[in-house]
Amino acid sequence: MASEPKKNGVLKTLQSVLAAMFGVQSERKRNEDFSSGKPWRYVLLGLLMAFFS
């Protein structure tokens, strides 16, 4: 059976955005983020984190 891409929840998305902002996100995790999840979550959380930092 082919494995389906995992869906990212809000907490996983927040963790990815924080890791990306600090520059410590692994290549594997970045590829996983780009292949799953909803792009608007990353954009929205990224903008909010940048605004409130």
Side-chain angles (χ1 to χ4, degrees):
M1 285 185 146
S3 62
E4 293 181 24
K6 295 187 292 186
K7 293 184 179 181
N8 290 342
V10 175
L11 291 177
K12 289 277 190 185
T13 305
L14 179 60
Q15 180 183 16
S16 292
V17 169
L18 286 172
M21 289 182 81
F22 285 105
V24 296
Q25 190 168 28
S26 68
E27 184 71 20
R28 180 190 59 81
K29 181 65 175 155
R30 187 183 64 80
N31 287 333
E32 185 180 306
D33 291 342
F34 277 106
S35 66
S36 64
K38 297 182 179 181
W40 63 267
R41 280 188 180 172
Y42 295 99
V43 172
L44 180 62
L45 282 175
L47 289 172
L48 288 173
M49 294 300 297
F51 181 75
F52 288 111
S53 63

